[in-house]
Amino acid sequence: MRNILLFVFFLTMVTMGVAQEISLTGTVKDSLDVGVDMANVIAINTETKGLESYGITNHAGLYKLKLKSGFQYTVKVSYLGFKTESFTFTATDADAVKDIIMQEQASQLDEVEVTYEMPVSVKGDTIVYDTDAFVSGTEKKLKDVLENLPGIEINDDGQIEVEGKTVSKVMVEGKDFFDGDTKLAVENIPANALSKVEVLRNFNEVSQMKGLTNDDDNVALNIRLKEGKKNFWFGELTAGFGPDDRYLAHPKLFYYSPKYSINIITDLNNLGEVPFTRNDYRNFTGGFRNINSRGGSSIATGADGLGLSTAQNNRANDIDTKFAAANFSYAPTETLDLSGFGIYSYTGTLMKSQRNTTYIASNDVENATTNTDQTVHLGLAKFSARYKPNANFQLDYDALLKQSDDNEEVDVLSISNITDEISEVKKQRPLAVNQNLNLYYTLNEKNIFAVEAQHLYQDEDPFYEAIRSEFAFADIFPVDENQNLYNINQSKNVITNKVDAKVDYYRVLGSKSNLNLTLGTTQSHQNFSSDIFQILDNEDTLDMTGVEFGNDVTFNVSDLYLGLHYKVIAGIFTFNPGVTLHQFNVKNEQLATVVEDNLTSLLPDLYINAQLKKSENIRFNYRVTRAFTDVSNFAQGYVANNYNSLYSGNRDLESALNHNLSLNFFSFNMFNLTNIFANVAYTKRIDALKSSADIIGINRVSTTINSNFEDESLSASGNYERTFGKIKGSVRGNVSWSTTNNLIDNLQRTSNSFTQNYTGALSTNFKDAPNLELGYRYTVNNYENGNLETTYFTSRPYARFDATFLKNFIFNIDYDYYNYTDKEDTIANTYSFLESNITYQKKDSHWEYGIKGTNLLNTTTLNRDSTNDLFFTTQTYFVQPRYILFSVKYDL
């Protein structure tokens, strides 16, 4: 009944939004009777002088306006290089047709009349949104505004997506906002500070390289501020408190001027709202990129050797967060730009879960209850300098420092054929310093040079301790078994130095073709050491002697390469084939011997773009890559991964060859505000790295081998979004299939995974009425390993509602319902999350008062499932209870 009422309410609002409207259509043509693509058409109410409707012509010049009957409008048509045309139109009860002929107005831009601010306009590769046209007044953050804009989405990780591509950079007034991440921008920039959002497609920070490289997947956002927010400090100070000692403090300040900018963000809370997670930290690039992305080689350097636990969707039993970040930019001269940021984040997390794991080879089942106490300190700092004295020369330098201090204590009650209580401690303080130096020089219009170099220094020191009554690998390790408890400790250290450098020469052959010659190298050097020891009851230390229980490995990969690429535009097609010749030298030194591998590879790649329309294209990519693993897989001494997993490397490993194909379709139709994108990707791995594992009950000893078993993966995704007046509808799907082959107890094991995710949603965007979003998500995870197969289903209807009432109150509600089952009907769990927020703020007042409720239905658990070649796992996570918070905010 509740769902029926919601649906009826939604249909009522839709009816209100489209009632008493007629359509004015027609074609905009030039003097040669050719349709004008991307012309702006607006209708201004002659009585109110307000913008009633707007449209942008399609590739044939067709336009369409929705107008309320009974009113008179001034319709104006504009396009750069043409005289603005206008006419008066009175809307009756019937649809009407009106064609327009535009006359050229060459070289008279100063006489072009600016008639009205278009809600959406297209200027080359830039889409400009006037945000005032898309907000209802209930929006608080940049995220809320972006979700209203056609063609822009915020994914589940908090990152911005445009045309199905993740936005790589957010700028405010042309200045970087925490370069390398978009989540901080969407969660912290105030909605009331925005004037325009500019989507920069085919983005390239180096003007000299524009058009020489393929930038179709590069998208950036530039935020334009309202005039009252420039040359003034603005922001907000928020504080909150609630029962059970809940608190929130969230001050943030911003300052922008033509010469410099400062952004300060802080957030302290124990509500479970994590502004910066370990996943954010791990994925935070700082704007750094793989400078040899087209070269075809991939050399891993390792990361996160402990595999720390992560909260599920930022939900855990208890989360305490402290966060501070500052970003600056400064232009001391017109030719020099300086910028940088510093980020500190502390998260204390208590996690509790119940896990059921079925081991495929042994058919053993483990039920485990896990309690985790985790503290994580994350730190990042970046400094950037750009020197550009003229249009022909640019020099960039960047330095990024990342360091964390992680500590995790885990208590596990494991019940299988035996019952064991395990206490684990994981600690690490990894450090990484990344430096980048780029030089771009245009000798003349035919010859352009680019020199790029990058150095990575990385120091990882993971430490692992397990205390338990039963030691699973007592027959392998020379442990002292006459102890009350087994206290096994392992220390590791991995130091990495990696240098990437290349020189690109571009020979411009004409306006539609160029030749690119690349000479480069990658030099990777890693040192790996580890040892395992036992602490006895009397606190003496028993060192495990022998080559099987310690590692001291030096691992080097040298890659010298020469590449040739040719780019040509022929009609609607852009062709960019290329080939790169590599000379690899790989060697590892351990146990007083050296294993060396010399290899020559010729790796092709191909890019084709069919530009069907200005905002519609099909892209094809094919690339062959050679992948090298990191030193940890070469170290032959034993390494403990966790309480029931032991690993020994293989020093004879070779590289793997990957064939990667992708096909992308994109269409953004401004005429009817339709956004479509689709992607299909296929990967085939040859001589890939495989896991070889021996299974004993719930325990395993594994290594890595090369095998001629061919792994394959295929994924497809698509999105269809269309706006009908004030109603936006979208349908999205993602399908992924993969097959892998490994050795389990010396037998080939083929594993298949087939996952499906589908989403459908309808939402409104009324200025003077409540807004509602109704959606449904459906997930199917099918896993097949050996002779065992299982399937998990998750149904997730959701609703979002916001409204303004009594002029000064804003009410928001967010509801998600989950129905989690499996094919065998052995699991049936339903749970839901309800959050709500009420705020009060008088017009023109700086003060806002609010009441916020999280997990109002007091849900206690949520579910996850996963699989690999060894086992199936379903897991129940315990989450924070209901919290109520009273808040006060002051707008600067």
Side-chain angles (χ1 to χ4, degrees):
M1 182 66 184
R2 178 177 55 187
N3 292 334
I4 295 175
L5 290 175
L6 284 173
F7 185 69
V8 171
F9 177 65
F10 183 80
L11 289 180
T12 302
M13 290 197 298
V14 171
T15 304
M16 290 170 55
V18 300
Q20 298 179 336
E21 283 188 344
I22 61 101
S23 295
L24 174 63
T25 59
T27 304
V28 179
K29 297 181 179 180
D30 61 17
S31 57
L32 300 178
D33 203 36
V34 177
V36 179
D37 190 7
M38 297 290 185
N40 295 331
V41 184
I42 62 174
I44 301 172
N45 189 306
T46 55
E47 180 180 346
T48 64
K49 306 301 180 184
L51 178 65
E52 182 69 33
S53 182
Y54 71 95
I56 296 177
T57 58
N58 67 4
H59 66 283
L62 184 65
Y63 74 91
K64 184 177 183 179
L65 300 176
K66 286 288 187 179
L67 303 173
K68 293 179 181 178
S69 59
F71 292 89
Q72 187 181 75
Y73 302 94
T74 300
V75 180
K76 296 190 177 184
V77 185
S78 61
Y79 189 76
L80 191 63
F82 289 84
K83 295 180 182 178
T84 299
E85 302 292 337
S86 65
F87 61 90
T88 299
F89 173 76
T90 301
T92 60
D93 293 331
D95 294 342
V97 177
K98 174 68 175 180
D99 297 332
I100 300 102
I101 302 295
M102 303 193 74
Q103 303 297 324
E104 292 187 7
Q105 186 183 38
S107 303
Q108 296 183 24
L109 299 182
D110 57 329
E111 296 183 13
V112 176
E113 178 188 3
V114 179
T115 58
Y116 211 96
E117 196 72 59
M118 283 288 292
V120 185
S121 59
V122 180
K123 302 175 182 177
D125 287 332
T126 302
I127 303 175
V128 182
Y129 297 91
D130 179 17
T131 57
D132 285 344
F134 296 94
V135 297
S136 61
T138 62
E139 296 80 9
K140 298 295 184 181
K141 301 177 290 189
L142 172 62
K143 173 185 177 180
D144 304 323
V145 177
L146 294 180
E147 289 177 335
N148 293 335
L149 305 183
I152 300 180
E153 292 189 0
I154 307 296
N155 64 25
D156 291 338
D157 295 323
Q159 303 294 320
I160 308 170
E161 289 186 357
V162 176
E163 305 169 5
K165 294 171 282 195
T166 301
V167 172
S168 58
K169 181 189 288 286
V170 172
M171 297 174 287
V172 178
E173 294 293 331
K175 305 178 189 299
D176 290 346
F177 190 92
F178 293 96
D179 191 17
D181 179 79
T182 62
K183 182 178 176 180
L184 287 179
V186 301
E187 295 291 347
N188 290 284
I189 296 178
N192 59 12
L194 308 181
S195 172
K196 293 180 176 59
V197 172
E198 298 174 346
V199 176
L200 311 177
R201 300 177 295 175
N202 303 315
F203 179 72
N204 196 315
E205 293 187 81
V206 184
S207 58
Q208 296 145 275
M209 306 300 293
K210 188 77 172 177
L212 297 178
T213 56
N214 301 314
D215 301 318
D216 303 80
D217 291 326
N218 298 338
V219 182
L221 242 63
N222 184 42
I223 307 301
R224 296 293 181 185
L225 302 174
K226 293 180 178 178
E227 287 302 321
K229 304 298 181 180
K230 300 175 186 177
N231 298 308
F232 292 99
W233 284 97
F234 69 94
E236 58 191 44
L237 307 176
T238 304
F241 64 94
D244 302 316
D245 297 323
R246 297 300 112 182
Y247 66 87
L248 167 69
H250 191 19
K252 48 189 177 183
L253 301 171
F254 308 93
Y255 183 88
Y256 283 89
S257 71
K259 196 169 185 177
Y260 67 92
S261 68
I262 300 175
N263 306 292
I264 301 173
I265 302 170
T266 60
D267 192 338
L268 294 83
N269 76 83
N270 58 358
L271 303 172
E273 299 178 356
V274 184
F276 196 73
T277 67
R278 292 194 76 256
N279 282 335
D280 296 332
Y281 172 82
R282 186 164 44 246
N283 298 327
F284 203 101
T285 64
F288 283 75
R289 57 187 175 83
N290 179 10
I291 67 174
N292 186 30
S293 58
R294 290 203 304 177
S297 63
S298 172
I299 301 173
T301 56
D304 194 8
L306 287 176
L308 296 180
S309 305
T310 56
Q312 303 300 307
N313 293 340
N314 289 347
R315 296 186 186 274
N317 214 213
D318 189 78
I319 304 177
D320 184 29
T321 295
K322 297 176 177 61
F323 174 80
N327 181 94
F328 82 94
S329 67
Y330 175 55
T333 67
E334 292 184 358
T335 61
L336 180 62
D337 282 299
L338 306 176
S339 63
F341 60 75
I343 297 174
Y344 168 77
S345 174
Y346 161 82
T347 306
T349 308
L350 298 179
M351 287 175 273
K352 180 180 179 180
S353 68
Q354 294 176 342
R355 184 179 72 242
N356 178 278
T357 304
T358 301
Y359 291 83
I360 301 167
S362 63
N363 287 321
D364 284 1
V365 176
E366 179 192 22
N367 289 291
T369 300
T370 302
N371 289 279
T372 303
D373 185 351
Q374 183 186 96
T375 59
V376 174
H377 300 263
L378 306 173
L380 300 96
K382 183 187 178 185
F383 174 77
S384 298
R386 172 169 298 169
Y387 177 64
K388 191 175 179 66
N390 53 61
N392 296 325
F393 182 85
Q394 180 171 317
L395 179 65
D396 297 337
Y397 172 76
D398 304 280
L400 175 66
L401 169 69
K402 300 177 69 173
Q403 184 168 28
S404 68
D405 186 354
D406 309 324
N407 186 84
E408 180 175 284
E409 298 178 4
V410 185
D411 293 325
V412 183
L413 174 61
S414 172
I415 302 175
S416 56
N417 56 344
I418 63 171
T419 298
D420 196 4
E421 293 186 29
I422 305 112
S423 294
E424 295 180 302
V425 175
K426 301 177 182 180
K427 298 178 181 179
Q428 65 179 4
R429 294 191 66 184
L431 169 71
V433 180
N434 209 332
Q435 297 183 83
N436 192 73
L437 182 67
N438 299 329
L439 185 151
Y440 306 95
Y441 176 63
T442 301
L443 179 64
N444 50 49
E445 62 180 11
K446 295 291 185 181
N447 300 281
I448 300 173
F449 296 88
V451 181
E452 299 176 313
Q454 194 171 119
H455 174 249
L456 170 66
Y457 172 79
Q458 193 168 268
D459 186 349
E460 301 171 274
D461 61 345
F463 177 82
Y464 174 73
E465 177 188 55
I467 302 174
R468 58 193 303 186
S469 57
E470 301 287 340
F471 183 45
F473 307 107
D475 56 338
I476 297 177
F477 288 86
V479 296
D480 186 341
E481 299 186 48
N482 298 314
Q483 304 293 314
N484 292 323
L485 293 172
Y486 290 97
N487 187 338
I488 307 300
N489 297 258
Q490 174 183 270
S491 61
K492 290 195 297 182
N493 185 234
V494 184
I495 295 178
T496 301
N497 278 282
K498 183 182 179 186
V499 176
D500 292 276
K502 68 169 184 171
V503 178
D504 279 298
Y505 166 66
Y506 294 89
R507 175 67 178 180
V508 180
L509 304 177
S511 60
K512 296 186 177 182
S513 63
N514 69 73
L515 197 65
N516 172 217
L517 183 67
T518 304
L519 177 63
T521 183
T522 298
Q523 302 291 324
S524 178
H525 176 85
Q526 291 186 292
N527 292 98
F528 180 99
S529 61
S530 70
D531 63 273
I532 297 178
F533 56 93
Q534 179 184 8
I535 297 179
L536 306 179
D537 290 346
N538 61 7
E539 298 187 358
D540 286 345
T541 298
L542 174 62
D543 294 321
M544 308 290 174
T545 58
V547 296
E548 304 100 321
F549 312 115
N551 286 290
D552 186 4
V553 186
T554 300
F555 178 61
N556 295 287
V557 180
S558 173
D559 176 16
L560 300 174
Y561 57 90
L562 178 66
L564 180 66
H565 289 82
Y566 175 65
K567 182 177 181 180
V568 61
I569 300 175
I572 66 170
F573 292 98
T574 298
F575 298 95
N576 192 192
V579 64
T580 306
L581 178 65
H582 291 263
Q583 177 61 49
F584 298 105
N585 175 260
V586 184
K587 61 181 180 181
N588 70 85
E589 182 177 351
Q590 56 183 311
L591 306 177
T593 60
V594 176
V595 174
E596 189 169 2
D597 183 22
N598 293 298
L599 177 67
T600 301
S601 288
L602 191 65
L603 305 177
D605 61 273
L606 173 63
Y607 168 86
I608 302 175
N609 180 26
Q611 196 67 38
L612 306 178
K613 301 171 186 175
K614 285 186 178 181
S615 293
E616 184 175 287
N617 60 46
I618 299 176
R619 302 191 312 278
F620 172 78
N621 268 292
Y622 171 67
R623 181 169 297 150
V624 180
T625 61
R626 187 161 289 280
F628 296 84
T629 187
D630 67 287
V631 65
S632 61
N633 287 325
F634 287 86
Q636 291 199 156
Y638 284 116
V639 172
N641 291 328
N642 56 46
Y643 66 88
N644 65 343
S645 175
L646 199 62
Y647 178 81
S648 174
N650 178 4
R651 67 181 310 184
D652 295 316
L653 290 177
E654 298 177 349
S655 58
L657 199 66
N658 299 329
H659 291 266
N660 307 284
L661 299 92
S662 67
L663 185 66
N664 299 271
F665 171 76
F666 157 71
S667 176
F668 187 28
N669 190 332
M670 297 294 293
F671 167 70
N672 56 16
L673 292 180
T674 300
N675 180 43
I676 306 172
F677 68 82
N679 175 69
V680 178
Y682 171 77
T683 298
K684 185 174 185 179
R685 289 170 288 277
I686 301 173
D687 201 21
L689 301 181
K690 303 291 184 178
S691 172
S692 176
D694 293 324
I695 306 299
I696 307 169
I698 68 169
N699 305 305
R700 61 191 183 274
V701 179
S702 59
T703 187
T704 303
I705 62 171
N706 286 103
S707 171
N708 57 4
F709 302 145
E710 294 182 351
D711 292 350
E712 297 176 279
S713 63
L714 177 67
S715 63
S717 61
N719 182 80
Y720 177 86
E721 176 189 286
R722 183 164 180 180
T723 301
F724 303 86
K726 299 298 182 181
I727 312 299
K728 182 170 72 173
S730 65
V731 178
R732 187 168 190 164
N734 186 297
V735 177
S736 179
W737 167 84
S738 68
T739 182
T740 58
N741 297 273
N742 291 288
L743 289 180
I744 309 297
D745 294 333
N746 292 318
L747 297 175
Q748 179 183 351
R749 169 75 53 76
T750 300
S751 301
N752 295 304
S753 172
F754 184 49
T755 63
Q756 306 169 68
N757 295 278
Y758 306 102
T759 303
L762 282 174
S763 61
T764 66
N765 188 18
F766 298 115
K767 275 186 171 295
D768 302 314
N771 285 296
L772 177 68
E773 178 183 359
L774 295 177
Y776 183 79
R777 294 180 178 178
Y778 185 65
T779 301
V780 182
N781 294 330
N782 175 261
Y783 307 120
E784 180 183 354
N785 286 307
N787 296 322
L788 295 178
E789 181 180 1
T790 188
T791 306
Y792 302 97
F793 307 92
T794 303
S795 299
R796 182 188 167 190
Y798 66 90
R800 314 280 185 264
F801 176 80
D802 62 79
T804 301
F805 65 98
L806 299 179
K807 294 184 180 180
N808 301 317
F809 287 90
I810 296 176
F811 175 64
N812 304 94
I813 193 167
D814 194 333
Y815 176 73
D816 292 270
Y817 176 84
Y818 296 81
N819 183 20
Y820 180 80
T821 60
D822 66 345
K823 186 177 181 180
E824 292 78 19
D825 291 327
T826 59
I827 300 174
N829 191 14
T830 61
Y831 54 94
S832 56
F833 291 98
L834 176 66
E835 297 187 357
S836 184
N837 189 26
I838 300 177
T839 60
Y840 171 80
Q841 185 175 22
K842 285 186 177 181
K843 185 178 180 181
D844 300 325
S845 172
H846 292 280
W847 293 95
E848 177 189 273
Y849 306 92
I851 302 176
K852 180 178 183 179
T854 63
N855 193 12
L856 290 173
L857 301 178
N858 216 23
T859 297
T860 57
T861 61
L862 56 83
N863 295 90
R864 289 291 181 272
D865 58 74
S866 63
T867 188
N868 57 32
D869 299 304
L870 304 177
F871 50 78
F872 299 105
T873 295
T874 61
Q875 203 157 3
T876 300
Y877 293 88
F878 291 81
V879 299
Q880 286 180 309
R882 177 193 301 119
Y883 291 139
I884 304 295
L885 189 80
F886 302 91
S887 64
V888 178
K889 185 181 74 171
Y890 181 78
D891 291 324
L892 298 178

